[in-house]
Amino acid sequence: MDTIDYIDLRKISGDGLQQIRRQVVRLKQMGKSGKEIELLVGIRQNRISEIWTAYQRDAEAALNPRKRRRKPGKPMLLSQEEQNEIQRILTFTTPQEFGLEGHVWTQGRTVEWIRRTYHKEIAIRTLSSYMARWGLRRLTQNRQNR
């Protein structure tokens, strides 16, 4: 028996997820079973059930991509003082001044500096969100210096 190569929904863009959700709903409306949809679409039956249940509850709104955000009431990883300092550092200094390689701040170097300075692990995606909030242009992704 062949094994199914399942789609990792965490790696799919918002538009891609919306397309998959629409496909699942369309197949369910056609009377297909969870197993049939699993084979056709390449996602597990439990996800199919979640999509169908959400669609029955919220109709079209359940198919639209949702923005991923911090849960209300959950504190931000970086304090306002830390954010202010990071903005100043990124704007007026170079990584070399802090013992890091390179002349330009990359996402990887910034994450490393935050880890060393504040002893906090921050994901690249989280850093990107902070930078957008600060109005700073996105840093390049330097895979060697993550």
Side-chain angles (χ1 to χ4, degrees):
M1 183 174 180
D2 294 328
T3 60
I4 299 173
D5 287 330
Y6 291 104
I7 297 170
D8 187 348
L9 296 176
R10 297 169 299 181
K11 296 180 180 179
I12 305 293
S13 69
D15 291 337
L17 279 173
Q18 184 178 31
Q19 214 171 9
I20 289 170
R21 290 175 184 145
R22 287 190 184 287
Q23 189 175 16
V24 166
V25 167
R26 188 172 42 254
L27 290 167
K28 282 296 271 183
Q29 289 172 334
M30 292 171 58
K32 300 288 183 188
S33 70
K35 185 64 177 171
E36 290 172 308
I37 296 171
E38 180 180 53
L39 294 170
L40 290 168
V41 178
I43 62 173
R44 298 184 188 279
Q45 288 185 53
N46 63 325
R47 297 291 171 239
I48 293 164
S49 178
E50 289 172 3
I51 292 167
W52 181 243
T53 301
Y55 177 76
Q56 289 177 312
R57 183 185 61 236
D58 301 326
E60 287 292 315
L63 304 179
N64 297 329
R66 294 179 292 276
K67 289 190 177 187
R68 296 176 182 158
R69 296 186 170 176
R70 182 175 45 89
K71 292 180 181 171
K74 185 176 178 186
M76 297 181 82
L77 179 64
L78 299 171
S79 71
Q80 189 58 54
E81 294 78 23
E82 292 167 337
Q83 291 181 53
N84 292 341
E85 182 177 18
I86 294 166
Q87 289 176 63
R88 185 182 57 74
I89 295 294
L90 294 177
T91 305
F92 298 110
T93 68
T94 66
Q96 286 181 326
E97 295 176 47
F98 298 95
L100 297 168
E101 293 182 15
H103 299 283
V104 177
W105 286 103
T106 63
Q107 290 176 334
R109 290 179 188 133
T110 305
V111 165
E112 176 62 20
W113 183 82
I114 291 169
R115 186 185 62 73
R116 288 183 187 181
T117 305
Y118 301 115
H119 307 288
K120 294 182 178 182
E121 296 293 330
I122 186 169
I124 296 286
R125 177 68 191 104
T126 304
L127 176 63
S128 295
S129 295
Y130 275 110
M131 293 187 67
R133 195 175 296 120
W134 301 333
L136 294 177
R137 188 171 59 96
R138 223 178 114 120
L139 294 175
T140 58
Q141 288 187 4
N142 184 339
R143 298 202 184 276
Q144 292 176 328
N145 292 312
R146 277 192 175 183

